């Protein structure tokens, strides 16, 4: 035997179980499968079939949804490695497919979205790859390129794009306004992410110029605020804070309007304001002006002796107890401050 003598194929039954019946040319070669043997196995009516370029299904008949997902990842990752694309930071920690991940509707399905189609109904599965490689879409694989891969979520052992990125890639392929709105609303109502992160991804994908997307985002932002307000009510109730007056405008007696706040404790002169700037990012061009408005209002209130606590929807979702502690500390510290100016409190 010399180095050119083909190896006898090793038993492959165990590979069908370990790799879910999907292997690449390189993996088959590593197990002693020659090109001639592979061609013979993939003949018409044979036991194997090529599902994507360089990716083979080790059984006849249609692939399962799991096999299609692995085939798409294997195809994209194999081509990316073959092109010599350097692994991005953190790639070594990603099991299986370090430089690619499932995105779009397939990813939303894996994240548990009821509004995403079942995997068998998807003709194509979106796969996110580095932009350095112009990998072509083919078969059931649709390639989506990005200058920087996000950190993936591991779902059933597969690298899957985070919900905001998966939503943006799904929306890019959708023209039905009702479907877009349903998916965006489910993201927030289902607790998958905050409206701000979705709007940011849609803006980066340049999708906010599409009227049906803008309409859906307007509803998304309103829904996100309603959910954040509900969490704010729950924070006060569950963590034993004194009841404030809710959603009020503050004015100086006979003077100018000072601005609205979401909660206000008149005796302690403490206000809580939900920071909605991040959720609106991308929907308006005057973000600097909006920030200046927030800063100006806060500065004016604090000059009058009113403590303003800013909270974000994400903080209310992820650290409700910590936010309650911040508010409680502000209320307790009121006795150590100079009395605040008298302000008129009106319903908003």
């Amino acid at each position: 035997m010399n180095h050119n003598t083909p190896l006898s194929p090793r038993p492959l039954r165990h590979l069908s179980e370990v790799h879910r019946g999907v292997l690449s040319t390189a993996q088959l070669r590593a197990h002693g499968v020659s090109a001639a043997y592979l061609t013979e196995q993939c003949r018409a009516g044979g036991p194997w079939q090529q599902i994507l370029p360089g990716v083979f299904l080790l059984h006849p008949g249609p692939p399962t949804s799991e096999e299609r997902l692995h085939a798409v990842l294997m195809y994209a990752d194999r081509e990316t490695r073959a092109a010599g694309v350097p692994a991005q930071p953190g790639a070594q920690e990603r099991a299986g497919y370090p430089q690619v991940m499932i995105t779009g509707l397939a990813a939303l399905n894996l994240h548990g979205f009821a509004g995403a189609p079942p995997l068998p109904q998807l003709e194509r599965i979106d796969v996110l790859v580095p932009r350095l490689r112009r990998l072509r879409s083919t078969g059931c694989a649709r390639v989506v390129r990005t200058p920087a891969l996000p950190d993936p979520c591991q779902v059933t052992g597969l690298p899957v794009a985070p919900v905001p990125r998966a939503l943006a890639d799904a929306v890019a392929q959708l023209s039905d306004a009702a479907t877009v709105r349903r998916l965006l609303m489910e993201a927030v109502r289902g607790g998958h992410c905050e409206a701000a992160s979705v709007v940011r991804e849609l803006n980066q994908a340049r999708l906010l110029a599409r009227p049906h997307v803008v309409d859906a985002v307007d509803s998304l932002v309103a829904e996100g605020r309603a959910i954040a307000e509900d969490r704010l009510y729950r924070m006060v109730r569950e963590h034993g804070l004194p009841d404030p007056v809710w959603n009020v405008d503050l004015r100086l007696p006979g003077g100018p309007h000072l601005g609205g706040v979401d909660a206000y404790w008149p005796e302690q002169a403490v206000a809580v304001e939900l920071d909605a700037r991040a959720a609106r990012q991308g929907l308006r061009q005057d973000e600097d002006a909006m920030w200046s408005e927030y800063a100006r209002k806060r500065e004016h209130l604090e000059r009058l002796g009113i403590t303003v606590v800013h909270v974000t929807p994400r903080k209310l979702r992820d650290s409700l107890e910590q936010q309650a502690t911040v508010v409680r500390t502000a209320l307790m510290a009121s006795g150590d401050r100079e009395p605040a100016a008298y302000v008129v409190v009106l319903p908003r």
Side-chain angles (χ1 to χ4, degrees):
M1 175 181 290
N2 58 42
H3 292 295
N4 297 321
T5 304
L7 298 173
S8 299
R10 302 173 189 172
L12 296 175
R13 179 175 300 172
H14 73 287
L15 293 179
S16 298
E17 299 171 357
V18 174
H19 294 272
R20 300 161 179 83
V22 181
L23 287 176
S24 68
T25 304
Q27 289 171 325
L28 289 167
R29 188 181 300 119
H31 285 273
V33 176
S34 67
Y37 184 82
L38 180 58
T39 300
E40 172 64 19
Q41 292 296 96
C42 291
R43 70 189 186 280
W48 296 355
Q49 53 186 307
Q50 181 170 288
I51 184 172
L52 285 167
V55 181
F56 299 88
L57 190 63
L58 305 189
H59 65 75
T64 65
S65 294
E66 186 178 18
E67 287 169 341
R68 291 176 74 217
L69 291 167
H70 278 276
V72 167
L73 287 166
M74 195 172 293
Y75 163 69
D77 194 54
R78 180 186 70 87
E79 292 294 329
T80 301
R81 291 172 188 260
V85 176
Q88 296 195 13
Q92 63 271 19
E93 285 83 22
R94 299 174 187 161
Y97 309 100
Q99 302 191 66
V100 298
M101 64 190 71
I102 300 296
T103 190
L105 288 172
L108 296 180
N109 179 285
L110 292 170
H111 280 296
F113 273 60
L119 291 173
Q121 292 183 13
L122 295 176
E123 294 184 7
R124 286 192 160 188
I125 295 171
D126 293 334
V127 59
L128 196 60
V129 305
R131 184 168 287 172
L132 291 175
R133 174 59 174 162
R134 293 195 64 83
L135 183 68
R136 67 184 181 91
S137 299
T138 184
C140 63
R142 177 163 49 212
V143 172
V144 180
R145 298 177 183 84
T146 180
L149 289 173
D151 292 329
C153 305
Q154 292 294 324
V155 183
T156 66
L158 296 170
V160 179
V163 167
R165 177 63 203 237
L167 270 171
D169 291 332
V171 168
Q173 304 294 331
L174 296 171
S175 58
D176 180 66
T179 301
V180 170
R181 184 179 185 278
R182 184 169 64 249
L183 291 173
L184 296 188
M185 298 296 275
E186 184 174 352
V188 173
R189 287 176 178 171
H192 295 283
C193 58
E194 298 303 323
S197 59
V198 177
V199 176
R200 183 165 54 249
E201 287 289 349
L202 293 173
N203 187 41
Q204 290 176 356
R206 300 180 180 178
L207 295 171
L208 295 181
R210 303 181 183 184
H212 70 286
V213 176
V214 173
D215 290 343
V217 167
D218 284 338
S219 298
L220 172 73
V221 171
E223 179 73 9
R225 180 173 180 82
I227 291 173
E229 287 178 343
D230 184 68
R231 289 176 180 149
L232 188 59
Y233 300 150
R234 186 156 56 88
M235 180 191 76
V236 170
R237 184 175 65 251
E238 294 182 0
H239 293 277
L241 297 174
D243 288 331
V245 288
W246 296 102
N247 295 314
V248 294
D249 277 325
L250 303 180
R251 291 180 181 272
L252 287 173
H257 176 235
L258 299 173
V261 295
D262 295 280
Y264 185 61
W265 287 263
E267 292 185 8
Q268 294 85 3
V270 172
V272 167
E273 186 168 25
L274 277 171
D275 190 345
R277 284 176 294 112
R280 302 295 303 181
Q281 189 175 9
L283 295 183
R284 48 189 290 171
Q285 300 300 316
D286 55 346
E287 289 302 310
D288 289 341
M290 193 175 185
W291 165 249
S292 296
E293 179 185 338
Y294 268 82
R296 185 167 54 251
K297 179 170 71 173
R298 179 171 186 167
E299 182 181 354
H300 194 175
L301 291 175
E302 291 186 342
R303 280 205 309 267
L304 296 171
I306 297 172
T307 300
V308 182
V309 178
H310 278 270
V311 295
T312 65
R314 182 173 182 177
K315 287 180 178 179
L316 288 174
R317 183 190 69 176
D318 296 341
S319 56
L320 196 64
E321 183 176 359
Q322 182 180 355
Q323 300 310 302
T325 299
V326 172
V327 174
R328 182 179 292 107
T329 300
L331 293 172
M332 293 174 63
S334 66
D336 299 327
R337 302 194 308 265
E338 291 293 326
Y342 176 77
V343 296
V344 178
V345 181
L346 299 171
R348 185 163 60 171

